[in-house]
Amino acid sequence: MENGATTTSTITIKGILSLLMESIRTEEEEGGKRVISLGMGDPTLYSCFRTTQVSLQAVSDSLLSNKFHGYSPTVGLPQARRAIAEYLSRDLPYKLSLDDVFITSGCTQAIDVALSMLARPRANILLPRPGFPIYELCAKFRHLEVRYVDLLPENGWEIDLDAVESLADENTVALVVINPGNPCGNVYSYHHLMKIAESAKKLGFLVIADEVYGHLAFGSKPFVPMGVFGSIVPVLTLGSLSKRWIVPGWRLGWFVTTDPSGSFKDPKIIERFKKYFDILGGPATFIQAAVPTILEQTDESFFKKTLNSLKNSSDICCERIKEIPCIDSSHRPEGSMAMMVKLNLSLLEDVSDDIDFCFKLAREESVILLPGTAVGLKNWLRITFAADATSIEEAFKRIKCFYLRHAKTQYPTLV
């Protein structure tokens, strides 16, 4: 994976997507087209993805009860923490308690908490590449050295465990595992996750399990929480309501010590956690109060509908990619809401790299894709498929037109 690997410390996903949007002629302008964004992982942009009535009613009831307009405990409301512990325990061979759960303002804040708690002089952290750039940004602010572990597209974007062993040393504090995968759309097998846990134990560091897309698996492999292996190696599990319940704007996340061996039970560690949460602002109290109802009463049919929609959308993407020679996907998505495709610049006349491709595509066709550089892979693209079928079909029709317009003449073009 040396070819195309890059770092992302000066790039954020929201930053580059904002620049791409600014470069587009709006629909109201003469000649403008409807903007289709397959760049942001926000399913609420499309009407086919909506949260449950249970969630809406729970929040409404909580708000109108007039019981939850004050401050919550800094670690979160006890009833919300207990509900999250019970929800996560359904898939674990042991039971979590509310003391294992700390409520955060989305998963992004959970990432910041995890890295802040692990930071110390000379410490380093192993991050997946491609990955989610917020980790690198947080690490830089906390003076954590970042070491990149390449994911292997030829092996379903598995973590290169040989690279983990060569990169880790006595100052390595953690390995980040994102499963289901963002940006790659992969889902790790039980066997691979066990090997990760065993490697981490051998090398002496813990695992940060980013499971913000937890249970959004629609391929042949089921979602397996990293916490299943908590008895092998301590695991910090990060998650949220955002993706599975399609409410990213509610900013309800969690930071959980999935650690049955009790590595995090030291009173000094718990006190440090609590003191750090004292300086943070968590989600609105009435949103927290709705969590027990949301987690306990959401019908399974809602989740199945979401998975079917994501599977259908990803299938359309894979079929349309085959029709455009300059992009290629070696791995069919199995989960999450995004996939990576490789850009073949040798087939294009006047496109210099992935960033140039995305800006020209945005200006000419009003289609937004995320340059792979933003997630650590130069000359790749991240495509988010959490969109309706009509928008995806139209987006790929325009991408195909873009290819035909920029294709080198010595290569055969499409009929």
Side-chain angles (χ1 to χ4, degrees), residues 29-50:
E29 294 180 53
E30 186 178 352
K33 300 176 181 178
R34 176 176 73 94
V35 176
I36 302 175
S37 177
L38 302 182
M40 178 66 81
D42 184 353
T44 66
L45 296 174
Y46 295 93
S47 61
C48 59
F49 291 98
R50 289 291 180 263

Side-chain angles (χ1 to χ4, degrees), residues 75 93 102 105 140 149 219 232 296 318 334 358 370:
V75 295
F102 302 81
S105 182
K140 298 294 185 185
V149 179
I232 297 175
E296 292 162 12
C318 291
E334 302 171 288
C358 288
L370 185 70

